[in-house]
Amino acid sequence: MAYNPITQQLASGTASDFGLWSPEQKSVAKHKVPSKVVSMSWTSDGMLLALGLFDGNITLRDKAGNEKLHFSASSSPVWSLTWSPGDQATLAVGCLDGQLKFFSTTGQPKYKERQLEGDPLSLSYFNADYLLAGCSDKCVHLMTKEGIYLNKVTTRDSWAWVVKPRPKANFVAVGCEDGSIAMLQLVFATVHGLYGDRYVYRDLMTDVIIQHLITEQKVRIKCRDYVKKVALYRDRVAVQLPTRVVLYALDSSADDMDMQYRSAGKINQKLDCNLLVVASNHILLCQEKRLQLCSFDGTLVREWLMDAVVRYIKVAGGPPGKEGLLVGLKNGAVMKIYVDNAFPIPLIKHTSSIRCLDLSSNRQKLALVDETNTVVVYDLNSKEVLFEEKGANSVAWNSHFEDMLCFSGNGQLFIKTGDFPLHVQKMQGFVVGFKGCKVFCLQYVSVATID
């Protein structure tokens, strides 16, 4: 059955016909079909009804039941189909041969065919940008609206016969063959990176957007695959995909305003890591306590094993091939690692796990935020605590002024200059950068510039 909320019609299908039920008419208008109806879906404007048949064909009908088009989708039953709410000319079709296909209203294939791990028993669009598939492999899978595979949402104990999202919310209901019903919440993590006045973040799970925070210019890179992690350093951008890492570089690294990025290489390896960092000539992979330095051709150059789990990594600058890294550990230790040196240098031993780190412009002071939400500033020469304040979630030094830093927390921005009292103003989000008179603040996936 399929309900039309625009015309208030209810369509029902049987082995030999389908009927259109309407509150205005006492009788049910029935129309013959050449094969058993196994799926049906109305367009969001209520003008077109698609019927998926057991013989692998699809018939498109108007709201009166008249056939507009009849075409073959597969040699297997069309067990699930749904119209895209964002593009009413796109019909997603799931067949019992494991194929996911897309057709236009003229019956022409629209996107690339996809082979799923199980037969798609139920298809539903999620927020217009994504597609959910409940399959015979007992899993619910998440894809883009073009069918690009993203991730497995859940694994149940039996076939996932029906999957439906809650409108205007990140919840999904799953009904299974064993009679169980589950409600799931989908959480989309923020995948991003920042260096100087450039910010890179994932968009729609398969695109990467690079934003210049001063000029507000944006560049979109279409990766056409699931973006797992991104990293940014100077003129370099690294994008981790499921089976490879793609590298991009600015056309002109001398121009501070240039936003023309070109492909600069590819590492055709499946790399597992918790954190990804890029430098001038290397990428750095972090897996729990282990740090691995790889060249841009994928060769392992160097490896470090820390005493505790790595919580935070930041490139602190340096000449190409000799950059220094700030590494914060779960046991409170802060280390400095040079990529051309096998021996980490201990900087500070803090009392709590490190959440955020930054180094002052002259590299004389270290600011950190720990898991107790306390910001602490250390003098790296004497190891003394110069400043301490509760209620912080992130911290950043001013890249132009040695004695100026800012930190955020509890809906406020705090600016500390030398020995002067704190300057406080309202601000939602996390501070991620401080350059001259501008503070860069992360609010969900967008970065706002505050003067």
Side-chain angles (χ1 to χ4, degrees):
M1 291 191 296
Y3 178 65
N4 185 337
I6 306 300
T7 63
Q8 294 188 336
Q9 288 174 297
L10 178 67
S12 62
T14 67
S16 58
D17 59 29
F18 77 95
L20 292 174
W21 306 66
S22 175
E24 292 88 13
Q25 298 182 5
K26 295 180 180 179
S27 62
V28 179
K30 294 196 173 182
H31 305 268
K32 291 290 183 182
V33 287
S35 181
K36 181 179 180 180
V37 179
V38 290
S39 58
M40 54 176 55
S41 175
W42 289 97
T43 53
S44 56
D45 63 0
M47 302 303 290
L48 207 58
L49 174 67
L51 303 175
L53 306 181
F54 192 83
D55 62 3
N57 289 321
I58 293 174
T59 174
L60 302 183
R61 307 284 178 135
D62 62 17
K63 60 183 180 179
N66 302 314
E67 187 170 75
K68 294 294 184 181
L69 187 67
H70 189 102
F71 63 94
S72 175
S74 173
S75 58
S76 300
V78 180
W79 205 261
S80 56
L81 51 74
T82 182
W83 292 98
S84 169
D87 178 8
Q88 294 185 48
T90 300
L91 179 68
V93 176
C95 307
L96 288 190
D97 56 0
Q99 291 277 329
L100 173 64
K101 302 180 180 182
F102 298 87
F103 295 96
S104 66
T105 50
T106 60
Q108 297 299 311
K110 191 152 189 182
Y111 304 132
K112 182 180 177 182
E113 291 182 8
R114 311 284 177 176
Q115 182 68 44
L116 301 181
E117 293 180 15
D119 297 334
L121 307 174
S122 176
L123 294 175
S124 286
Y125 279 91
F126 177 76
N127 292 346
D129 294 317
Y130 305 102
L131 182 64
L132 290 162
C135 297
S136 60
D137 63 350
K138 305 178 184 178
C139 299
V140 176
H141 302 279
L142 179 68
M143 294 156 283
T144 68
K145 62 183 179 182
E146 298 177 359
I148 299 170
Y149 188 82
L150 298 176
N151 218 333
K152 189 181 294 182
V153 175
T154 184
T155 301
R156 311 306 298 169
D157 294 329
S158 60
W159 289 11
W161 274 107
V162 61
V163 54
K164 293 291 180 182
R166 181 180 177 182
K168 299 179 182 178
N170 282 4
F171 292 93
V172 175
V174 183
C176 299
E177 187 180 20
D178 61 4
S180 65
I181 298 174
M183 178 73 82
L184 309 168
Q185 182 179 12
L186 300 190
V187 179
F188 295 87
T190 303
V191 174
H192 63 124
L194 181 135
Y195 183 82
D197 47 21
R198 291 172 194 261
Y199 177 62
V200 58
Y201 62 97
R202 179 178 70 184
D203 188 49
L204 299 176
M205 304 295 280
T206 59
D207 293 355
V208 171
I209 294 179
I210 306 166
Q211 177 184 354
H212 197 292
L213 299 175
I214 304 299
T215 65
E216 296 293 327
Q217 280 183 289
K218 291 183 180 181
V219 173
R220 181 182 293 270
I221 299 174
K222 289 184 174 291
C223 300
R224 303 192 185 281
D225 206 345
Y226 176 38
V227 175
K228 298 179 76 174
K229 288 180 177 61
V230 295
L232 175 68
Y233 178 69
R234 291 182 180 168
D235 63 335
R236 300 278 182 181
V237 175
V239 181
Q240 185 188 15
L241 305 175
T243 59
R244 64 197 184 278
V245 176
V246 184
L247 302 161
Y248 298 91
L250 278 172
D251 276 345
S252 174
S253 57
D255 184 2
D256 287 342
M257 302 302 170
D258 183 31
M259 290 294 285
Q260 297 295 318
Y261 284 85
R262 55 177 172 79
S263 180
K266 195 180 296 183
I267 301 174
N268 289 311
Q269 295 179 26
K270 184 179 180 180
L271 302 170
D272 292 322
C273 61
N274 305 119
L275 299 168
L276 175 71
V277 176
V278 66
S280 298
N281 303 325
H282 304 91
I283 63 167
L284 189 79
L285 307 170
C286 172
Q287 186 69 35
E288 299 296 334
K289 298 180 182 181
R290 191 180 303 275
L291 294 175
Q292 293 180 318
L293 186 74
C294 299
S295 62
F296 285 162
D297 61 4
T299 305
L300 180 63
V301 176
R302 192 166 282 108
E303 188 174 86
W304 300 270
L305 188 63
M306 301 289 108
D307 294 332
V309 174
V310 176
R311 294 289 303 272
Y312 190 87
I313 306 176
K314 183 171 185 174
V315 183
K322 297 182 179 181
E323 290 93 351
L325 307 170
L326 278 180
V327 180
L329 306 182
K330 191 174 182 179
N331 65 1
V334 179
M335 317 291 287
K336 190 162 190 181
I337 295 176
Y338 291 97
V339 298
D340 62 340
N341 193 322
F343 302 101
I345 303 168
L347 292 181
I348 295 294
K349 183 64 175 78
H350 190 60
T351 53
S352 301
S353 178
I354 306 299
R355 183 178 290 175
C356 178
L357 284 172
D358 200 14
L359 202 59
S360 64
S361 58
N362 291 342
R363 292 169 168 72
Q364 300 299 311
K365 297 171 188 174
L366 177 77
L368 62 86
V369 175
D370 62 25
E371 63 179 4
T372 66
N373 294 331
T374 303
V375 58
V376 183
V377 177
Y378 284 96
D379 185 306
L380 289 179
N381 295 318
S382 64
K383 313 299 183 187
E384 292 179 2
V385 175
L386 301 178
F387 174 73
E388 189 171 349
E389 187 77 22
K390 295 280 187 180
N393 54 31
S394 62
V395 64
W397 285 98
N398 195 310
S399 59
H400 291 177
F401 303 104
E402 169 72 11
D403 291 328
M404 183 180 286
L405 83 157
C406 65
F407 59 96
S408 55
N410 300 324
Q412 292 180 309
L413 171 68
F414 302 87
I415 298 175
K416 174 72 173 172
T417 306
D419 296 326
F420 291 100
L422 286 172
H423 170 75
V424 184
Q425 65 185 72
K426 288 185 179 180
M427 184 199 76
Q428 296 296 324
F430 298 80
V431 62
V432 290
F434 193 10
K435 186 175 183 179
C437 62
K438 296 184 182 295
V439 173
F440 304 130
C441 170
L442 175 65
Q443 298 167 343
Y444 187 48
V445 294
S446 63
V447 169
T449 302
I450 300 170
D451 289 318

